Amino acid sequence: MNDALHPLLLLLEQAETERNAALAALNECRQRCQAAQEQARQLDDHRSSYRQRWSAEFAQGAALSIVRCHHAYADRLDTAIGQQSLAVRQAEALQDQAGQLLNACELRVASVRKLIERRAQMLRQQGERRDQKASDEQAMRVHAQRRRGAAARSGVTP
């Protein structure tokens, strides 16, 4: 029976290997996504604290060159935050794709396992039918021998 299931067992092993690789890829995508989100949060926190600090400075008055530097830096910071937001969206999209791939791999593993289950059940049933047939044939032979023996003892030919 194991020989009959061998190709399916190999297929299951391959499907599990693919599933494990998909799980590892998803975990890696999750880590990258979390890192991108954390960096975006840090940039946003920095922008908030920078604005708050310089709002207090500007309330006291500041030279025009400092105001220009502040605005230039704030613009670069806004650009960096926009780029990081894009990176977060891309990381989330990759994470979603990796999750979908993992789901597909999980489905394949479950399908192959179910196929193995069904094939093993079919092989068991075939074996049981074969054993039953052999048992029935043996019983018929024994019965026929007994009839011949009884007929020979009574002098009647069957």
Side-chain angles (χ1 to χ4, degrees), residues 13 17 36 47 98 103 119 143-144:
E13 184 179 331
T17 299
R47 177 176 58 187
N103 289 341
R119 185 72 51 88
H143 179 68

Side-chain angles (χ1 to χ4, degrees), residues 5-149:
L5 293 177
H6 185 70
L8 290 176
L9 294 172
L10 289 176
L11 182 62
L12 177 62
E13 184 179 331
Q14 178 187 359
E16 287 175 336
T17 299
E18 290 172 4
R19 186 243 357 244
N20 293 343
L23 179 60
L26 176 60
N27 287 334
E28 187 177 318
C29 285
R30 282 182 180 152
Q31 289 174 348
R32 287 181 183 165
C33 189
Q34 288 172 349
Q37 290 168 340
E38 176 62 21
Q39 188 171 3
R41 188 192 59 74
Q42 289 174 353
L43 284 169
D44 197 46
D45 289 349
H46 177 67
R47 177 176 58 187
S48 295
S49 108
Y50 182 78
R51 283 181 178 169
Q52 186 178 25
R53 183 180 56 220
W54 280 99
S55 292
E57 290 287 326
F58 292 145
Q60 297 173 4
L64 186 59
S65 62
I66 295 212
V67 171
R68 283 186 186 142
C69 285
H70 163 74
H71 283 295
Y73 181 74
D75 287 344
R76 287 193 306 275
L77 192 53
D78 286 341
T79 300
I81 289 171
Q83 290 172 343
Q84 190 59 32
S85 292
L86 177 62
V88 167
R89 287 191 302 275
Q90 289 172 338
E92 288 170 343
L94 289 174
Q95 181 178 328
D96 288 345
Q97 288 174 355
Q100 291 171 3
L101 177 62
L102 177 60
N103 289 341
C105 289
E106 287 286 0
L107 181 61
R108 183 163 187 240
V109 166
S111 297
V112 171
R113 281 189 178 146
K114 189 67 173 175
L115 180 60
I116 289 171
E117 240 178 67
R118 287 180 183 157
R119 185 72 51 88
Q121 181 181 9
M122 180 191 73
L123 291 171
R124 276 192 304 275
Q125 288 172 344
Q126 285 176 347
E128 290 168 2
R129 282 192 296 269
R130 191 173 37 252
D131 292 346
Q132 183 64 45
K133 181 180 177 186
S135 175
D136 291 349
E137 288 173 354
Q138 178 64 26
M140 286 174 54
R141 280 192 299 273
V142 166
H143 179 68
Q145 284 176 353
R146 284 184 185 159
R147 283 185 68 180
R148 279 192 301 268

